Amino acid sequence: GAVVSQHPSWVICKSGTSVKIECRSLDFQATTMFWYRQFPKQSLMLMATSNEGSKATYEQGVEKDKFLINHASLTLSTLTVTSAHPEDSSFYICSARDLETEAFFGQGTRLTVV
Amino acid sequence: AQSVTQPDIHITVSEGASLELRCNYSYGATPYLFWYVQSPGQGLQLLLKYFSGDTLVQGIKGFEAEFKRSQSSFNLRKPSVHWSDAAEYFCAVVPFSGGYNKLIFGAGTRLAVHP
């Protein structure tokens, strides 16, 4: 299957700082990318959907000013957690889809805010 | 309400035993259906998917799933479980609401395998 690379795999940051997570599709062009958040032992909750060159569509309850998503090219989407707080600590996973119906997932990023 | 339900939060089986993980959905039209597996601290790997056609779908690692329209179910099965199958399993759907949009996940079933 296609490869989606997510970076970094884990990050620790201080409260009040911002953290950027990258999601790259390595061998295909991703027209759509999705960002999920997963709390320990829970399911994946969709945060937002982004299409290349347009604004992301956020799910209800997700703060768009806190979780900035940029999908500037067909192979790269970034999620920036702004002014991070301990409650933002979580596992963030991206997925990327081309024109077909299958989405491929990155390996996830463990964010810890201290 | 539209949803994906995995009734079993946690299942334990013995190595070599058969396995069935349940998944039910409640959408008006038949959605696209998927099963994913997640190892601890890792992303998701697609096991199999159903779009249309044959209702018995074969996947990787010896898994299969059967789509039953009358029961709105898409249960995952494996005839003989290996210790390496211990992981979290997620059923997911892409509902039809104006075209493909997003993947909706069930709560997941954590599988433990006893030697």
Side-chain angles (χ1 to χ4, degrees):
Chain A
V3 178
V4 175
S5 176
Q6 195 172 333
H7 178 80
S9 298
W10 60 270
V11 58
I12 301 174
C13 72
K14 291 184 177 180
S15 185
T17 62
S18 295
V19 175
K20 179 183 287 187
I21 302 170
E22 292 187 348
C23 180
R24 294 180 183 273
S25 57
L26 298 185
D27 49 3
F28 68 100
Q29 293 186 328
T31 55
T32 305
M33 287 189 173
F34 305 87
W35 286 95
Y36 293 85
R37 183 174 181 176
Q38 185 180 30
F39 290 103
K41 299 184 179 181
Q42 294 190 25
S43 186
L44 285 75
M45 300 303 295
L46 180 66
M47 299 173 66
T49 303
S50 71
N51 292 293
E52 184 265 338
S54 61
K55 289 184 179 180
T57 301
Y58 289 81
E59 295 297 302
Q60 191 172 10
V62 178
E63 299 175 61
K64 59 180 65 176
D65 294 331
K66 175 130 186 96
F67 299 99
L68 301 180
I69 292 172
N70 185 291
H71 192 165
S73 76
L74 285 171
T75 59
L76 174 64
S77 175
T78 61
L79 167 68
T80 301
V81 182
T82 63
S83 187
H85 290 283
E87 58 265 31
D88 299 324
S89 299
S90 190
F91 193 58
Y92 293 88
I93 303 177
C94 73
S95 73
R97 183 180 68 86
D98 58 13
L99 295 177
E100 300 300 321
T101 50
E102 182 175 345
F104 299 94
F105 287 81
Q107 68 270 40
T109 297
R110 172 77 56 196
L111 170 63
T112 302
V113 184
V114 297
Chain B
Q2 297 180 330
S3 66
V4 182
T5 303
Q6 292 181 247
D8 305 305
I9 296 174
H10 189 256
I11 284 182
T12 301
V13 299
S14 297
E15 190 170 16
S18 64
L19 172 71
E20 182 170 34
L21 303 182
R22 295 182 291 166
C23 174
N24 294 91
Y25 63 90
S26 59
Y27 291 90
T30 300
Y32 291 161
L33 298 159
F34 304 79
W35 274 99
Y36 286 88
V37 61
Q38 183 183 33
S39 297
Q42 299 294 314
L44 276 72
Q45 181 180 25
L46 178 67
L47 288 175
L48 45 76
K49 60 190 176 186
Y50 173 80
F51 295 158
S52 65
D54 193 348
T55 57
L56 185 62
V57 180
Q58 301 298 318
I60 63 171
K61 302 185 179 186
F63 285 94
E64 68 177 25
E66 184 172 13
F67 167 61
K68 292 186 177 180
R69 185 187 304 275
S70 62
Q71 298 177 19
S72 297
S73 69
F74 188 57
N75 294 347
L76 181 72
R77 300 193 294 245
K78 186 169 185 177
S80 178
V81 171
H82 188 262
W83 64 266
S84 60
D85 293 324
E88 186 89 19
Y89 292 80
F90 292 99
C91 178
V93 307
V94 173
F96 279 107
S97 55
Y100 182 104
N101 188 9
K102 51 196 177 184
L103 202 58
I104 307 299
F105 286 86
T109 298
R110 182 169 298 276
L111 174 66
V113 180
H114 280 177

